[in-house]
């Protein structure tokens, strides 16, 4: 599942409970860093968070299977 706009990581955590894998991207590195810490503290291992521009999806084909 792809989430564009990680923010605090709240929605990524909700998605992680329902999806096998979650990729969450945000253009703001500080949001990504904070959300990663939160998700790690929650023990969620099926969420990958990356700093990327969600308005440019040219990178998407490199992460999908």
């Amino acid at each position: 599942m792809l989430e564009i706009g990680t923010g605090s990581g709240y929605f990524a955590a909700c998605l992680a409970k329902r999806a096998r894998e979650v990729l969450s991207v945000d253009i703001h590195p500080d949001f990504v860093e904070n959300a990663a810490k939160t998700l790690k503290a929650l023990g969620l291992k099926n969420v990958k968070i990356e700093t990327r521009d969600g308005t440019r999806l040219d990178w998407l084909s490199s992460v999908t299977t």
Side-chain angles (χ1 to χ4, degrees):
M1 174 137 336
L2 173 63
E3 175 193 26
I4 298 176
T6 303
S8 68
Y10 176 82
F11 195 63
C14 292
L15 291 173
K17 296 293 186 179
R18 299 195 175 270
R20 184 176 50 191
E21 281 183 22
V22 177
L23 171 60
S24 184
V25 299
D26 204 297
I27 198 168
H28 300 287
D30 52 331
F31 289 0
V32 170
E33 183 180 337
N34 289 333
K37 289 177 185 176
T38 299
L39 295 171
K40 183 177 180 181
L42 292 171
L44 298 172
K45 300 181 188 299
N46 63 330
V47 181
K48 184 175 181 181
I49 302 177
E50 297 182 358
T51 303
R52 294 190 183 264
D53 184 347
T55 65
R56 297 181 43 103
L57 297 180
D58 53 338
W59 52 266
L60 189 56
S61 62
S62 68
V63 295
T64 58
T65 56

